[in-house]
Amino acid sequence: MAKKVLVTEDSPIVLNVHSTLLKSAGYDVTEAENNLIALEKALAEDFDLIVLDINTPKMDGYTFCKEIRAQPKYKDVPIMAITTESDPEDKVRGLEAGADLFLVKPVKTEDFIEHANKLLGV
């Protein structure tokens, strides 16, 4: 059974790219256009990995990480944050909020899949 990945991204193009890459690597992907919708989906289903954008409307990625980490079923689920925020303070804030990995856009295709595989133990 394929590992389930939740991808949240407010840019339709980037969302499509991330989803397509993960699907081509054999993952079952669910999409959300912002972190509030992603939180709703995460509470309704179980995911093995969450890939999120820090800057989305309605709920930022830092808040999403804190909310999802407060859920017992997501205490140990890996979270990959991908953002345009490149300040070292943003990375610290993301990791403190609960992200396991904090990447700055653009992320190379091979690096993106490699990181996902590592986080999933594949």
Side-chain angles (χ1 to χ4, degrees), residues 76-91:
D76 297 318
V77 170
I79 298 174
M80 181 190 321
I82 303 176
T83 184
T84 56
E85 304 300 323
S86 60
D87 192 296
E89 290 178 15
D90 291 308
K91 181 176 183 175

Side-chain angles (χ1 to χ4, degrees), residues 19-32:
S19 294
T20 300
L21 289 171
L22 289 163
K23 287 175 186 174
S24 69
Y27 297 116
D28 178 9
V29 178
T30 299
E31 300 177 351

Side-chain angles (χ1 to χ4, degrees), residues 13-77:
I13 293 169
V14 176
L15 180 61
N16 184 48
V17 168
H18 288 170
S19 294
T20 300
L21 289 171
L22 289 163
K23 287 175 186 174
S24 69
Y27 297 116
D28 178 9
V29 178
T30 299
E31 300 177 351
E33 59 268 14
N34 68 56
N35 290 318
L36 186 58
I37 292 170
L39 182 60
E40 292 170 1
K41 290 183 179 196
L43 295 176
E45 296 180 56
D46 293 337
F47 294 95
D48 301 300
L49 172 67
I50 298 170
V51 178
L52 66 89
D53 181 13
I54 293 294
N55 298 315
T56 71
K58 302 189 183 186
M59 178 186 285
D60 66 42
Y62 306 114
T63 303
F64 175 85
C65 279
K66 289 175 186 171
E67 293 285 330
I68 207 72
R69 287 295 187 216
Q71 304 301 314
K73 71 178 183 176
Y74 286 109
K75 186 175 138 293
D76 297 318
V77 170

